[in-house]
Amino acid sequence: DAGVIQSPRHEVTEMGQEVTLRCKPISGHDYLFWYRQTMMRGLELLIYFNNNVPIDDSGMPEDRFSAKMPNASFSTLKIQPSEPRDSAVYFCASTTTRDAYNEQFFGPGTRLTVL
Amino acid sequence: DQQVKQNSPSLSVQEGRISILNCDYTNSMFDYFLWYKKYPAEGPTFLISISSIKDKNEDGRFTVFLNKSAKHLSLHIVPSQPGDSAVYFCAAQSAGGTSYGKLTFGQGTILTVHP
């Protein structure tokens, strides 16, 4: 398996523009997570899905952020409009519920820079 | 509020010596703990975990200790190697209720192992 795939790897945009980050989870995994990494707060969970349904979006910072999972193999995280404080590395991760506790498998991340 | 805290942003150790990374948590519902390692430009990868029914788990050079009464865990790396230089994240999980599948991460500790 190729692991969790994220695109793009780097994104540079100007304030006010719409940004869309993409994720393909590991095949067969039924949980998908979106995280944001910053120096101050480390890895923050933004939202996660189970069987394509959003379970907890309490970490989404503002209404400017939205996430979708139209099918088991694809998810997007959208920021509209983007602001300089959104600059961070965004990770997608997936896991399965075969066991009660499961390690999450992370993608390589998207480094977002908003000018 | 940070439910999982890594109070040391960085740690520098000589090759061959022991590295000790610390993590504190506040939520008594957490019953499973994980350590992840992250290299630059890569996603975090799972390193080692421990259930709350244990106080120690060992895997090669890596040992995790859990002190439930103090709500504290630590990762020991012996002996430390230059290839261990990375960011280490502590994470916690609760199997119960609506938090199933969700990990709460700390801010991370940058470990540098000098040759």
Side-chain angles (χ1 to χ4, degrees):
Chain A
D1 199 314
V4 176
I5 299 173
Q6 290 187 248
S7 64
R9 293 294 309 274
H10 301 274
E11 177 79 41
V12 180
T13 190
E14 292 189 347
M15 182 174 64
Q17 297 298 305
E18 176 180 297
V19 175
T20 300
L21 311 181
R22 297 173 176 80
C23 175
K24 176 178 167 56
I26 293 173
S27 177
H29 283 187
D30 53 351
Y31 277 85
L32 183 139
F33 305 81
W34 282 101
Y35 291 91
R36 178 171 67 177
Q37 183 191 5
T38 61
M39 289 296 293
M40 290 298 295
R41 299 181 67 84
L43 276 168
E44 292 179 276
L45 177 65
L46 300 177
I47 184 171
Y48 74 103
F49 296 83
N50 178 220
N51 291 321
N52 313 335
V53 176
I55 302 300
D56 184 347
D57 66 353
S58 59
M60 296 286 260
E62 300 169 34
D63 291 345
R64 298 185 296 106
F65 286 69
S66 63
K68 293 182 179 179
M69 191 165 186
N71 57 62
S73 59
F74 183 66
S75 177
T76 60
L77 177 67
K78 186 176 293 186
I79 308 173
Q80 165 64 16
S82 57
E83 296 182 3
R85 59 189 167 129
D86 301 331
S87 298
V89 182
Y90 291 81
F91 289 101
C92 175
S94 70
T95 192
T96 178
T97 51
R98 277 198 304 272
D99 304 307
Y101 301 103
N102 293 284
E103 63 174 284
Q104 294 179 13
F105 295 84
F106 283 76
T110 296
R111 180 173 293 277
L112 173 65
T113 302
V114 183
L115 303 174
Chain B
D1 62 335
Q2 286 282 113
Q3 296 187 62
V4 177
K5 293 183 181 180
Q6 294 175 255
N7 292 316
S8 298
S10 63
L11 175 67
S12 183
V13 173
Q14 204 68 32
E15 180 179 7
R17 306 295 290 270
I18 184 172
S19 295
I20 300 176
L21 296 99
N22 295 303
C23 178
D24 297 296
Y25 62 96
T26 58
N27 189 339
S28 58
M29 296 299 294
F30 289 145
D31 52 9
Y32 193 69
F33 304 88
L34 307 88
W35 285 93
Y36 279 76
K37 180 166 75 171
K38 182 186 177 307
Y39 292 119
E42 295 183 10
T45 55
F46 171 74
L47 185 59
I48 192 170
S49 62
I50 188 167
S51 165
S52 60
I53 62 174
K54 295 184 176 181
D55 55 17
K56 177 183 174 180
N57 188 28
E58 193 171 353
D59 183 2
R61 296 185 298 113
F62 302 91
T63 302
V64 56
F65 295 91
L66 175 63
N67 183 333
K68 288 190 294 292
S69 60
K71 293 190 177 67
H72 177 82
L73 64 154
S74 61
L75 174 68
H76 292 210
I77 307 173
V78 183
S80 301
Q81 299 174 354
D84 297 329
S85 298
V87 179
Y88 288 79
F89 289 99
C90 169
Q93 186 175 22
S94 169
T98 57
S99 298
Y100 189 84
K102 178 178 175 179
L103 286 177
T104 302
F105 283 86
Q107 306 95 310
T109 297
I110 302 171
L111 173 65
T112 303
V113 181
H114 298 283

